[in-house]
Amino acid sequence: MPAAFPHARTRRDTETDTVQFAQAALAVAKQEGLQLAVRARYIALAIIACLLPIINPTWDQLYYVVLLGLFALIGWGQVRVGRVGVSRPELALLFCDLALLTFIAVVPNPFSSAHWPVAMQYHFGNFIYFFVLLSGATLAYSWRTVIAVGTWTSGLWIVGMVWVWWQPDRDPALTARIAAATGSDQRLFQLISPNSIVFGARIQEIVVFMIVAVTLAVAVRRGSDLLIRHPQWNANEAISRAISRLMWWKNCPRPTNP
């Protein structure tokens, strides 16, 4: 019986070492993920900054280039405050990311010379840039945070739709001409009218984004589980080998004195 105590104590010590190793591995993985995510963010922002004047070669695009600098600043802040576990400053910066992108996608450029209806913002297809933020979140955050990104994005996008819906029509004459041109085809009018939000397309964006977010969250959770279980498997294997050697030593025949 006393011989069992060292074995039990050794097993507990091994399990404790395994847990500490897993926690240290998670901390290292979090910091490496944040560094990788912010590098990917800087590269993506540089590409988007070069893409904007190609898509719309006007001086008012400088407004969006300046706002890209805010995304870079938020990424820098996330690296500074990032840590394993729940970090409210980190989550706040992540929410600022999504809120800023929602603002850019929904609110018209104040320096633009065109005074189109606010709903025209949806015709530019800027929702796809949320996938850039989502992909960065999968590199640095837990599966729960990835799902939170999908949930927050959906909520912000709905709030943006409600705000656009309350905005008055800036050019009723244009809307009337388009309605006259489309006649009784209301579906065509909803698709091409500059004052139409196209609710069906907006709901489709939310649903697809949530599907992608949940799928990526499952992948992130699977990777984290493998990271935690790997040292545990190694520890269990080492314990099993030690027990086998001990049993072999106990059962090994001893030479007898003549």
Side-chain angles (χ1 to χ4, degrees):
M1 187 67 180
F5 291 144
H7 171 66
R9 187 164 51 250
T10 302
R11 191 181 188 92
R12 287 195 299 269
D13 293 342
T14 303
E15 292 177 352
T16 301
D17 293 341
T18 301
V19 172
Q20 293 176 350
F21 177 82
Q23 292 175 346
L26 287 174
V28 172
K30 176 62 179 291
Q31 289 300 320
E32 291 179 349
L34 283 172
Q35 293 290 341
L36 183 60
V38 76
R39 292 192 188 103
R41 174 188 292 249
Y42 291 157
I43 294 173
L45 292 176
I47 294 174
I48 294 172
C50 296
L51 181 64
L52 289 177
I54 297 176
I55 296 176
N56 188 8
T58 57
W59 287 107
D60 56 31
Q61 292 300 301
L62 293 176
Y63 166 75
Y64 296 111
V65 174
V66 172
L67 291 179
L68 291 178
L70 294 180
F71 285 109
L73 184 61
I74 291 174
W76 175 82
Q78 289 172 344
V79 174
R80 299 284 294 180
V81 302
R83 61 179 177 84
V84 177
V86 179
S87 174
R88 295 186 183 277
E90 192 174 9
L91 293 177
L93 288 173
L94 184 59
F95 185 83
C96 290
D97 249 348
L98 302 174
L100 178 60
L101 184 53
T102 303
F103 175 83
I104 295 173
V106 172
V107 179
N109 186 343
F111 300 100
S112 177
S113 57
H115 297 283
W116 294 338
V118 178
M120 271 297 295
Q121 292 292 111
Y122 290 118
H123 292 253
F124 299 143
N126 290 328
F127 185 83
I128 58 176
Y129 291 105
F130 279 105
F131 288 97
V132 178
L133 298 181
L134 179 62
S135 62
T138 60
L139 294 174
Y141 299 111
S142 67
W143 65 272
R144 293 183 180 88
T145 305
V146 174
I147 293 180
V149 170
T151 305
W152 292 345
T153 300
S154 301
L156 289 169
W157 203 238
I158 292 174
V159 171
M161 281 194 295
V162 172
W163 180 80
V164 172
W165 183 70
W166 278 100
Q167 301 305 305
D169 189 351
R170 293 185 177 184
D171 195 345
L174 176 61
T175 305
R177 290 196 299 270
I178 295 175
T182 55
S184 60
D185 194 338
Q186 289 297 317
R187 187 166 184 270
L188 178 60
F189 172 74
Q190 291 297 324
L191 289 175
I192 66 175
S193 172
N195 203 48
S196 175
I197 297 177
V198 192
F199 284 101
R202 307 289 78 80
I203 298 301
Q204 183 181 17
E205 291 167 345
I206 291 173
V207 172
V208 172
F209 191 82
M210 283 301 304
I211 291 174
V212 176
V214 172
T215 303
L216 292 177
V218 172
V220 170
R221 183 176 185 180
R222 182 172 180 271
S224 299
D225 290 343
L226 290 175
L227 182 64
I228 295 174
R229 291 175 183 174
H230 180 69
Q232 183 65 46
W233 290 337
N234 292 340
N236 290 338
E237 184 179 358
I239 292 173
S240 298
R241 289 178 180 177
I243 293 175
S244 298
R245 287 195 296 268
L246 180 62
M247 295 302 296
W248 176 85
W249 184 82
K250 286 183 176 181
N251 296 328
C252 182
R254 303 291 192 281
T256 58
N257 295 325

